[in-house]
Amino acid sequence: MSALQRPQPRPGVLEIEAYVPGKSAAPGVARVFKLSSNETPLGPSPKAIAAYRAVAEHLQDYPDGASTALREAIGRAFGLDPGRLVCGAGSDELLNLLAHAYLGPGDEAILTRHAFLVYRIATLGSGARPIEVPETQYTADVDTILAAVTERTRLVFLANPNNPTGTYVPFDEVRRLHAALPPRVLLVLDAAYAEYVRRNDYEAGIELVATSDNVVMCRTFSKIYGLAALRLGWLYGPAHVVDALNRIRGPFNVNSAAMAAGIAAIEDSAHVETSRAHNDHWLAWLTAEIGKTGLEVTPSVANFVLIHFPDTKGRTAQDADCFLTARGLILRAVGAYKLPGALRMTVGSAEANRLTVEALTEFMGRGA
Ligand SMILES: Cc1ncc(COP(=O)(O)O)c(C=O)c1O
C-alpha cells in the first residue's frame, strides 16, 4: 500500500511535535534530583497517600463517572458550585477537551510565544490553526493578543502564571483582555500554578468565570498537591461550557484513586500551606543566588525559575545541562518553548536547591 492510500490523520496532526516530558534520569549518576517537571519536593499530603491506598480494596468497581464527591470537595474548598466544575485526567485532558469542543478546521486559537506547549498540540489536533503572538519580557501582552483576534478566533489560551517563563499577567489586564474579546471567543485561563502566587494584583479567575459566559479556568492537582502521577485536574466554567465538555469527555475519565487522593489533598490545607511556605522561601533564595553567579533569572511567581545562559562557548544552556546532569541535577531544556538559551529549574528540596546553586557557581566560574 502506498503512503497515500493508507489511513491519513486529519490535517494538522502531523504538524504536531510530540510533547517531550522533562528528563528523569542521569546515566551513571547514583543520586538524581529531578528538577525538570515542576513537581513538588514535599510530595502529597500523607492523607492523600492513605486515601489512594484504600482504593486498592475496590479496583473491580468503575469510578463515579461524574466525579461527584471530588467536585463537591473542590466546591467546598473554593466556594464554587459543583455543577459548574468538570474534572479531568490532568488539566491536559481538560485543555484538549476544550479544543475538541470549540475548535475545528478553519478556526484559530491564540497563544503566546513561550506558552505551555499543550495549547499548540490541542489546537492542531483539533484541525484548527494556532496563532502565536509575541510576548513582552517573557510575559503575555494583552494588546498583542487582541491585535491577533480575527473572525476565525474561537479560543484564547492564557497560562497565568505561564510555564516555562514563570511570569504572570496582573488581573486588571486579564479583565481588560476579556472585556475586549468578542463574546463568541472563549478565554481559557490556565492557572496550574495559582496556589504558589503571592501577588496582590493576581487572581486565578474565579470571579471572572462566575460573571461571564465566555471564560473558563483550569486547575491541577499535579503541582502544589503533589499528585502528578494520578493525573487529576479540574475546570470551572459557565454551565453551557460544562455541558459541552461533559458530552465529549470519556464517561469514566477520572479514576477512583485520583478522586480519593484528590479529595484528601484538597482538604489538607495545612500541607498545602507548608508547601507554599517552602516555595516562597526557596523561590526567592534561588532567584537571588543564581543571580549572583552572573546568570539572568526571569522573575517567577510559580514553583520554578527560568535561567538564561550566555551564547559563549562552554557556558551555553546546553553546556550547563550536560554539566548539571553529570552531577545528578536534572533541569528542563526549553528549546521546544523557543528558549534554546535557557533552562527551567523547579524549586526543589533544600538540598537540591543548594547543590544546584553550587554547581551553577562552579559552572560559571570555571575557564570557558
Ligand atoms: C501551565 C500548565 N498547564 C497545565 C499543565 C498540565 O498539568 P496536568 O498535570 O494537570 O495535566 C501544566 C503542567 O506542567 C502546566 O505547566
Side-chain angles (χ1 to χ4, degrees):
M1 205 194 274
S2 86
L4 281 176
Q5 282 173 314
R6 67 191 188 204
Q8 300 291 322
R10 72 155 107 192
V13 171
L14 298 183
E15 284 177 55
I16 295 174
E17 288 188 31
Y19 187 87
V20 181
K23 282 190 290 190
S24 51
V29 183
R31 248 183 118 214
V32 167
F33 296 90
K34 184 176 175 220
L35 305 168
S36 58
S37 298
N38 299 342
E39 295 146 343
T40 170
L42 274 67
S45 156
K47 292 174 186 159
I49 298 173
Y52 167 82
R53 289 212 172 101
V55 175
E57 304 300 320
H58 307 281
L59 294 185
Q60 69 284 2
D61 298 331
Y62 275 100
D64 166 18
S67 300
T68 312
L70 175 60
R71 285 186 298 107
E72 284 170 355
I74 297 168
R76 278 193 302 276
F78 290 90
L80 303 175
D81 171 4
R84 290 185 50 182
L85 302 176
V86 184
C87 297
S91 44
D92 281 349
E93 185 194 14
L94 297 165
L95 294 165
N96 275 288
L97 288 174
L98 287 165
H100 290 299
Y102 290 96
L103 295 175
D107 294 337
E108 295 175 353
I110 299 175
L111 37 91
T112 66
R113 180 160 172 80
H114 306 296
F116 183 49
L117 282 180
V118 166
Y119 311 152
R120 171 177 298 276
I121 295 173
T123 300
L124 286 169
S126 302
R129 303 305 312 162
I131 305 297
E132 181 191 296
V133 301
E135 297 185 3
T136 307
Q137 293 181 328
Y138 303 109
T139 309
D141 181 303
V142 165
D143 292 312
T144 59
I145 294 173
L146 288 173
V149 174
T150 71
E151 304 248 285
R152 294 178 294 281
T153 309
R154 291 286 173 275
L155 285 189
V156 172
F157 287 108
L158 183 68
N160 202 23
N162 184 44
N163 165 24
T165 53
T167 56
Y168 76 106
V169 179
F171 215 71
D172 279 355
E173 283 292 283
V174 177
R175 277 199 202 90
R176 187 165 73 82
L177 168 63
H178 171 249
L181 284 176
R184 67 181 151 73
V185 175
L186 183 60
L187 175 60
V188 179
L189 299 176
D190 179 356
Y193 301 93
E195 291 82 0
Y196 291 109
V197 186
R198 302 283 206 180
R199 291 289 187 283
N200 288 337
D201 58 355
Y202 175 80
E203 280 176 45
I206 287 179
E207 197 195 320
L208 193 59
V209 175
T211 54
S212 34
D213 249 351
N214 63 335
V215 186
V216 296
M217 175 193 69
C218 296
R219 304 287 283 261
T220 181
F221 280 87
S222 301
K223 308 299 172 185
I224 207 158
Y225 298 102
L227 297 177
L230 294 179
R231 314 304 304 121
L232 187 60
W234 57 278
L235 171 146
Y236 176 50
H240 66 97
V241 176
V242 167
D243 174 55
L245 299 184
N246 277 332
R247 288 169 197 261
I248 60 168
R249 69 175 173 80
F252 304 103
N253 62 330
V254 178
N255 69 72
S256 306
M259 270 184 232
I263 293 168
I266 211 161
E267 287 176 349
D268 191 350
S269 46
H271 185 78
V272 175
E273 212 34 66
T274 306
S275 307
R276 204 192 320 254
H278 175 92
N279 197 67
D280 285 349
H281 174 76
W282 288 105
L283 177 67
W285 187 85
L286 284 168
T287 307
E289 295 299 316
I290 297 171
K292 287 183 198 163
T293 68
L295 292 165
E296 200 181 311
V297 181
T298 298
S300 168
V301 295
N303 68 334
F304 53 86
V305 286
L306 187 67
I307 311 168
H308 302 268
F309 291 82
D311 288 337
T312 335
K313 198 162 168 288
R315 295 243 162 74
T316 66
Q318 225 186 341
D319 297 323
D321 198 15
C322 295
F323 186 88
L324 295 167
T325 302
R327 285 157 181 76
L329 300 164
I330 302 183
L331 274 62
R332 178 64 178 262
V334 281
Y337 287 90
K338 304 190 172 78
L339 294 163
L343 294 177
R344 190 193 67 199
M345 174 192 178
T346 305
V347 174
S349 63
E351 184 184 12
N353 297 335
R354 289 206 177 94
L355 287 172
T356 308
V357 167
E358 276 167 34
L360 285 173
T361 308
E362 192 187 330
F363 174 74
M364 289 302 285
R366 72 192 179 140

